[in-house]
Amino acid sequence: MTATGPDRVPGPEPEGFAFEERPRLLEGVRAYGLIVAMWVRSTMTYRASFVMTTLGNLAATAFDFVAILLMFTHVDALGGYTLPEIALLYGVSATAFGLTDLLLGSVDRLGRRVRDGTLDTLLVRPVPVLAQVAADRFALRRAGRIIQGLAVLGYALLTLDIAWTPLKVVMLPLMVVTGAAVFGAVFVGGAAFQFVAQDASEVQSSFTYGGTTLLQYPPTIFAKDLVRGVTFVVPLAFVSWLPALYVLGREYPLDLPQWVAFLPPAVAAGCWALAGLAWRAGLRAYRSTGS
Amino acid sequence: MRLYAVVAAGSFRRYATYRTATAAGVFTNTVFGFILAYTYTALWAERPQLGGYDTSQALTYVWLGQALLMACAMMGGGFEDELMERIRTGDIAVDLYRPADLQLWWLAGDLGRAVFHLLGRGVAPMFLGALAFDLALPGSLWTWLAFLVSVLLGLVVSFAVRYLVALSAFWLLDGAGAMQVAWLMGMFFSGMLLPLNLFPGLLGEVARMLPWSSLLQVPADVLLGKHTGWGLVEVYAFQGGWAVALLLAGRLLQRVATRRVVVQGG
């Protein structure tokens, strides 16, 4: 069977379609909200278990910052950056990624759904497939990562000596949100890739989890080619490096001009356009296993 | 004995079936290897000889960590999910009825899986790491053999810990929380985050005494030639001691646990 789900449109929707009055995006968001609410309710049935797994998630993600702290028991600077400066990079990257992981983290299960055939169930429902895949098994415990990221970010803001300007103040929340959007596009693009390579979800992990790990360290420690790659190919540098270096008043990698720090919203929009195209192409190419 | 060899071989083949997944895993291990290698380079540029390693030894440590990560199931992915599920559903009763030793059966299966991951997801990232960075790999065949023995002992220790935790499902029914704690301990105390000889003071001393140091820190130091002669015998005794103690503890817990099994009909 080929994809015949609602994501297949452009084109007029079939007559008698229950949701035809509403715009598709709104419909997707509404469906997403409903599915998420259902999963949250089901999670809250076992409150103790929820608290424990959230704490576990928090601890697990805190480990990479513990590693940085342990490193700083031996050195005063890493790649020319002090601990509070690295904490800012870390906090922005971890919070942005945590938001994406909470909202869209489930899409990396797409490959499994393709393999075991359960994706077909989603295709016949009158709700955008992406909304269903993203909300599926919504895990509120992933908020642990956001809490941890915000804690490190708070520590950085308390210890850093920054000459705040209104622009820098605005930049802070903006880069967390746009950063999350860039990560989100990577998640969706990776999921689209899983239509083709069904059991290659780890490739996606290396861009998402690997990306956030990379951004937690200053760009000065990485090889130029790697920095070029995450600036121009998979534009993760726009998540935290470029805007955060503006806030810190640090030099940009690759001698980039100062205005690139203001590009993240445009970059995020571009990434989503590409991810959307990839998703549609993937969905269209989907062949059911028939099982 | 033949039975367990067959179980191990079957498990090896089972994991060998997932070729795309293995290739994707190699990609991930390589990406993380690169990221960590650069952070270690920056760290050792500030403090050469940190923890008694020079830069190329530190880089070797990074790639070794990536090579052993899946084999030692430091972040999960071993037999434990399956065993806990069998305990939860009661299928374990069937296993107990089989004319095979439960612990040895799962050990054989887990070793088969580990050997596959060592070859499938260990060798390739290590090779790529050696191409991109200057690694301190030993030239002597004996050092490699000594290293492999240490890895094998580490695999058994890793199994023994996870077996103990999986058995907790007899009491907890849902052992996911216990398993998560075990993985966190494994990540932290194996030296996967940072070599244990960089841990400060008492924390470092305790970390080096715990069983998890057998998974990465000890094999890495054997490969880097830090343990030779009697020193090698000593670390083998350390790893072997933990392996035997934890396996025995597993047997004991298993005996207590199986008394609790109530077979329900239907």
Side-chain angles (χ1 to χ4, degrees):
Chain A
M1 124 175 203
T2 50
T4 48
D7 260 35
R8 183 78 193 278
V9 284
E13 299 196 346
E15 251 181 297
F17 195 75
F19 302 107
E20 71 187 313
E21 300 307 325
R22 289 197 201 85
R24 272 176 41 80
L25 181 66
L26 204 72
E27 189 47 49
V29 171
R30 202 182 78 94
Y32 178 89
L34 287 172
I35 303 172
V36 162
M38 181 195 79
W39 281 107
V40 170
R41 267 202 309 282
S42 110
T43 311
M44 286 307 160
T45 319
Y46 304 97
R47 258 165 225 272
S49 172
F50 165 72
V51 172
M52 279 194 296
T53 50
T54 307
L55 287 178
N57 253 43
L58 202 149
T61 55
F63 269 179
D64 35 41
F65 193 67
V66 171
I68 294 176
L69 287 176
L70 285 172
M71 286 181 182
F72 273 89
T73 61
H74 298 279
V75 296
D76 299 322
L78 202 63
Y81 283 67
T82 62
L83 181 58
E85 287 178 308
I86 289 184
L88 181 76
L89 294 177
Y90 181 102
V92 171
S93 166
T95 310
F97 182 74
L99 274 172
T100 313
D101 193 40
L102 178 69
L103 296 176
L104 287 173
S106 299
V107 296
D108 68 358
R109 228 197 307 269
L110 185 93
R112 189 185 302 179
R113 281 196 166 277
V114 172
R115 282 205 305 279
D116 65 17
T118 49
L119 188 69
D120 293 3
T121 332
L122 308 187
L123 290 174
V124 295
R125 293 189 192 140
V127 171
V129 179
L130 184 57
Q132 295 183 63
V133 175
D136 183 41
R137 288 171 182 265
F138 180 84
L140 195 58
R141 62 168 182 277
R142 296 201 188 114
R145 195 186 279 276
I146 304 176
I147 298 169
Q148 193 259 337
L150 283 174
V152 176
L153 194 58
Y155 160 77
L157 294 176
L158 287 176
T159 47
L160 275 170
D161 190 20
I162 297 174
W164 289 104
T165 61
L167 209 52
K168 285 185 181 181
V169 174
V170 175
M171 194 69 118
L172 210 58
L174 185 74
M175 66 177 148
V176 171
V177 174
T178 52
V182 172
F183 271 131
V186 176
F187 264 100
V188 172
F193 176 66
Q194 287 187 36
F195 278 114
V196 189
Q198 302 169 10
D199 48 355
S201 63
E202 286 217 52
V203 172
Q204 184 174 355
S205 306
S206 39
F207 286 103
T208 51
Y209 291 88
T212 178
T213 309
L214 178 93
L215 294 177
Q216 289 162 4
Y217 292 91
T220 44
I221 70 172
F222 298 104
K224 280 258 161 58
D225 283 331
L226 189 59
V227 178
R228 262 183 216 117
V230 294
T231 308
F232 301 115
V233 184
V234 186
L236 293 172
F238 293 91
V239 171
S240 68
W241 277 352
L242 297 171
L245 294 185
Y246 171 79
V247 173
L248 288 172
R250 284 282 196 156
E251 260 176 54
Y252 298 161
L254 311 172
D255 300 319
L256 290 166
Q258 211 193 19
W259 50 264
V260 295
F262 302 95
L263 283 184
V267 170
C271 287
W272 268 100
L274 286 175
L277 284 177
W279 174 261
R280 269 155 196 277
L283 198 60
R284 208 163 295 141
Y286 172 66
R287 293 277 181 283
S288 171
T289 55
S291 58
Chain B
M1 208 50 218
R2 251 200 67 196
L3 168 71
Y4 301 111
V6 172
V7 171
S11 173
F12 182 95
R13 268 203 303 280
R14 173 178 159 197
Y15 283 90
T17 324
Y18 304 110
R19 295 211 193 109
T20 331
T22 305
V26 165
F27 184 76
T28 312
N29 285 127
T30 310
V31 167
F32 274 91
F34 265 91
I35 296 171
L36 287 175
Y38 284 116
T39 64
Y40 278 43
T41 307
L43 187 60
W44 262 264
E46 295 280 325
R47 286 284 307 274
Q49 293 302 323
L50 185 60
Y53 296 147
D54 61 28
T55 308
S56 55
Q57 284 175 326
L59 290 176
T60 312
Y61 187 95
V62 166
W63 289 98
L64 211 52
Q66 292 303 315
L68 292 178
L69 181 69
M70 277 307 281
C72 290
M74 278 182 245
M75 294 171 71
F79 70 100
E80 52 272 18
D81 291 333
E82 212 177 324
L83 176 55
M84 284 192 299
E85 185 61 17
R86 291 189 78 80
I87 294 173
R88 202 179 61 77
T89 56
D91 287 343
I92 194 76
V94 183
D95 299 345
L96 287 167
Y97 207 66
R98 288 198 179 114
D101 183 85
L102 192 69
Q103 194 185 30
L104 280 178
W105 172 282
W106 287 99
L107 174 62
D110 199 50
L111 283 181
R113 176 200 62 78
V115 170
F116 172 74
H117 276 144
L118 201 60
L119 295 173
R121 291 191 52 173
V123 175
M126 193 79 185
F127 178 73
L128 293 169
L131 284 183
F133 297 91
D134 175 29
L135 301 189
L137 295 172
S140 144
L141 188 65
W142 288 114
T143 315
W144 280 104
L145 280 176
F147 163 71
L148 285 180
V149 172
S150 182
V151 168
L152 184 67
L153 287 169
L155 294 179
V156 178
V157 172
S158 164
F159 165 81
V161 173
R162 284 175 291 131
Y163 191 74
L164 269 173
V165 179
L167 287 184
S168 74
F170 274 109
W171 288 270
L172 301 173
L173 287 181
D174 179 29
M179 210 65 237
Q180 196 181 21
V181 173
W183 288 332
L184 289 175
M185 302 281 275
M187 274 299 280
F188 194 73
F189 289 115
S190 61
M192 193 65 209
L193 280 186
L194 210 59
L196 296 181
N197 39 16
L198 266 62
F199 281 29
L202 187 65
L203 179 65
E205 271 168 53
V206 172
R208 285 186 287 273
M209 301 281 292
L210 293 174
W212 290 287
S213 68
S214 303
L215 308 192
L216 175 57
Q217 185 67 52
V218 173
D221 279 338
V222 171
L223 188 75
L224 294 171
K226 302 279 175 192
H227 304 296
T228 47
W230 279 111
L232 190 61
V233 178
E234 259 174 51
V235 294
Y236 282 169
F238 171 80
Q239 290 183 296
W242 270 123
V244 171
L246 291 166
L247 286 175
L248 284 177
R251 297 226 118 195
L252 220 72
L253 194 65
Q254 181 186 322
R255 191 168 305 162
V256 180
T258 48
R259 289 218 195 96
R260 294 174 51 90
V261 175
V262 178
V263 181
Q264 311 203 4

